Amino acid sequence: MGKAIFITGTGTDVGKTYVTGLLVKKIREAGLDGSYYKAALSGAEPDGNGKLVPGDAAWVKETAGIPDPLEDLVTYVYREAVSPHLAARINNHPVDLDKIRQAFRKAKDRHQYLTMEGSGGILCPLGWEKDHHLLLEDMIQALDLGCLLVADGGLGTINSTVLTVEYLRHRAIPVRGILFNRWKPGDRMQEDNRIMVEELTGLPVLACVKEGDRELEGPLDRLLETYT
Ligand SMILES: Nc1ncnc2c1ncn2[C@@H]1O[C@H](COP(=O)(O)OP(=O)(O)OP(=O)(O)O)[C@@H](O)[C@H]1O
Ligand SMILES: [Mg+2]
């Protein structure tokens, strides 16, 4: 059985998939067996045959060279670019935590280092019906995962990063580090954001990804230590 980490972000589009792709690539290039899993993806585009393509999984598979079929990398794929709970309701296809648990276990059993990407930011409903409430954080807890947090290096990140870390801690979910995206080295505000976020959360910034980076810079060991 392998180890896993959950990648959450300070919001949708912050770069979870981009950073995860480079992270899994780095793991695989080190000769380790890294893979990817995402429970629910919305906003999938259909291919020429009308089949929905899970864009996040496809990008990470391609970037990192993961051999597994796309079907194993993501369980729920919805076309509508809305929160998963609403996409599930529109399609009458609810997210089932047991099904996710099985797919996650299978992936974790087959690979050494499994990187699981969340949907949206940390407050993301996966299912919200009268008799059934499921939040992203319920799933993280059910899978017994710790988190890495992807945050933008720019303006507003002190607020969104510290709020997200506090929210995770309130739910007793371990946060193991921060990954900055769209990082501008030497930029006075961004360098200060990094220091402020580390001091206010007590967490290390474990990697900084610049616009257009094709590799994750820096040592891999501290990142691998966050997987459990
Ligand atoms: N460092 C970067 N360099 C170049 N493009 C980037 C970078 N980070 C993100 N992007 C681009 O920005 C867009 C949003 O990034 P991404 O899909 O990784 O966000 P996300 O947090 O995974 O979003 P979602 O909540 O939809 O899963 C994508 O088109 C991605 O290719
Ligand atoms: Mg994504």
Side-chain angles (χ1 to χ4, degrees):
M1 167 130 78
K3 296 179 171 186
I5 191 77
F6 190 86
I7 305 284
T8 188
T10 52
T12 192
D13 278 344
V14 74
K16 296 183 302 295
T17 303
Y18 195 93
V19 172
T20 299
L22 298 190
L23 173 58
V24 180
K25 181 182 180 196
K26 194 175 178 81
I27 292 171
R28 294 186 66 82
E29 283 179 353
L32 301 164
D33 181 359
S35 193
Y36 169 88
Y37 177 65
K38 177 156 176 149
L41 182 149
S42 37
E45 294 289 336
D47 66 11
N49 302 317
K51 190 168 184 265
L52 291 179
V53 180
D56 286 11
W59 199 83
V60 177
K61 177 177 163 68
E62 160 125 19
T63 303
I66 299 171
D68 305 39
L70 274 181
E71 291 70 29
D72 287 356
L73 304 186
V74 50
T75 302
Y76 290 94
V77 183
Y78 303 109
R79 176 158 189 178
E80 296 74 14
V82 297
S83 170
H85 79 285
L86 182 56
R89 191 182 298 156
I90 291 167
N91 291 282
N92 199 19
H93 186 34
V95 170
D96 174 1
L97 185 54
D98 281 333
K99 202 172 163 194
I100 290 171
R101 209 183 259 119
Q102 278 171 27
F104 171 80
R105 283 277 149 218
K106 184 179 157 198
K108 197 169 170 228
D109 282 348
R110 288 183 50 191
H111 298 282
Q112 275 178 299
Y113 290 97
L114 184 67
T115 309
M116 177 168 179
E117 182 189 345
S119 311
I122 188 55
L123 216 166
C124 178
L126 297 176
W128 205 260
E129 301 307 323
K130 235 187 254 154
D131 55 343
H132 171 70
H133 286 175
L134 180 67
L135 292 172
L136 188 72
E137 61 215 58
D138 301 322
M139 180 187 71
I140 301 171
Q141 285 179 320
L143 301 178
D144 203 17
L145 285 162
C147 287
L148 289 174
L149 174 60
V150 176
D152 192 276
L155 189 61
T157 207
I158 297 175
N159 177 60
S160 53
T161 304
V162 179
L163 281 177
T164 302
V165 170
E166 289 298 327
Y167 187 89
L168 283 158
R169 286 179 172 159
H170 179 68
R171 289 298 308 259
I173 295 169
V175 201
R176 308 227 162 91
I178 295 159
L179 311 172
F180 266 160
N181 189 29
R182 299 195 173 91
W183 173 247
K184 295 186 178 140
D187 178 283
R188 182 162 184 191
M189 180 192 66
Q190 293 218 359
E191 297 283 359
D192 182 68
N193 280 344
R194 179 177 179 159
I195 293 166
M196 288 307 290
V197 155
E198 287 189 330
E199 292 199 1
L200 287 167
T201 62
L203 292 168
V205 172
L206 293 172
C208 293
V209 174
K210 302 186 292 300
E211 189 75 27
D213 271 0
R214 302 303 302 160
E215 307 285 338
L216 196 71
E217 285 174 17
L220 182 59
D221 16 327
R222 285 188 77 200
L223 289 159
L224 292 180
E225 280 169 15
T226 65
Y227 288 67
T228 47

